[in-house]
Amino acid sequence: MPTRHTQNDGSTRFEGDKGKATLQRLRPGTVLLTYAGHLKADFFEPLRQEMDHELQLAQMQKKPLVLIADCWDLQGVDTTFRELWVDWIKGHREQVSHVVGLLRSKLVVMAANIMSLFIGGSLIKTYSDPREFEMAIARYAPDVGWRRPSAGLGQVAARG
């Protein structure tokens, strides 16, 4: 089971033996997930708990949830981890408006394509260029003013 750490900026970071994940609320209804390394299935449950909370906050604001996934430093995911996320998203399809992802690894691109197939529709939008990724975020979550930092998992630079 990954260890959980609350960061000074309010984000939650999970660390395992081969991977790291950080979840940060950019605003109610918009969540940034930053992944690095390789994520095993045991990352799902703690992330799911946080995402359920974020979903509740978005619903209180009467907003659909926008998931921003910075997977630039992610090298791979276990099949079970991917399948659990597919099931979660399908179970909340009406409350999730967009999943916007930045991907570099061919394995992660393949996993995202499989997820998109199983979820259906055009919910997941993936990008391999950080600038295009930022432009997509500006389209799907225009009021967050977020820009991808050039270094480091869990570091977020906000404009505003």
Side-chain angles (χ1 to χ4, degrees):
M1 183 68 75
T3 58
R4 181 184 195 279
H5 308 276
T6 301
Q7 307 292 96
N8 290 337
D9 63 2
S11 64
T12 305
R13 183 177 177 129
F14 299 96
E15 295 185 38
D17 58 339
K18 293 183 180 179
K20 297 176 184 173
T22 300
L23 183 144
Q24 181 175 15
R25 178 184 322 119
L26 300 178
R27 67 166 167 79
T30 304
V31 175
L32 170 65
L33 294 163
T34 307
Y35 295 133
H38 185 93
L39 299 182
K40 295 192 237 177
D42 61 352
F43 271 85
F44 174 76
E45 186 54 29
L47 285 168
R48 183 210 51 85
Q49 291 174 10
E50 296 292 326
M51 289 302 299
D52 285 349
H53 177 70
E54 295 300 328
L55 193 61
Q56 288 176 345
L57 290 175
Q59 289 174 334
M60 288 172 26
Q61 300 285 323
K62 298 187 182 343
K63 293 182 177 186
L65 191 61
V66 175
L67 302 176
I68 300 168
D70 184 344
C71 303
W72 191 252
D73 295 322
L74 184 63
Q75 286 122 24
V77 296
D78 285 358
T79 300
T80 303
F81 179 81
R82 184 196 73 222
E83 290 170 346
L84 289 166
W85 271 121
V86 165
D87 290 343
W88 187 89
I89 292 170
K90 284 171 73 174
H92 299 91
R93 185 66 172 91
E94 297 301 317
Q95 294 94 19
V96 177
S97 66
H98 301 288
V99 178
V100 182
L102 176 64
L103 315 173
R104 180 169 43 174
S105 161
K106 290 185 190 293
L107 288 173
V108 176
V109 169
M110 198 165 43
N113 289 338
I114 291 168
M115 289 177 73
S116 189
L117 268 171
F118 283 112
I119 293 168
S122 59
L123 179 70
I124 298 176
K125 310 271 192 239
T126 61
Y127 301 87
S128 58
D129 180 315
R131 285 181 303 163
E132 290 179 15
F133 177 63
E134 287 182 7
M135 289 188 295
I137 293 167
R139 267 193 314 278
Y140 297 116
D143 55 341
V144 298
W146 182 82
R147 292 183 53 87
R148 184 175 188 276
S150 58
L153 174 68
Q155 296 176 358
V156 175
R159 290 187 304 209

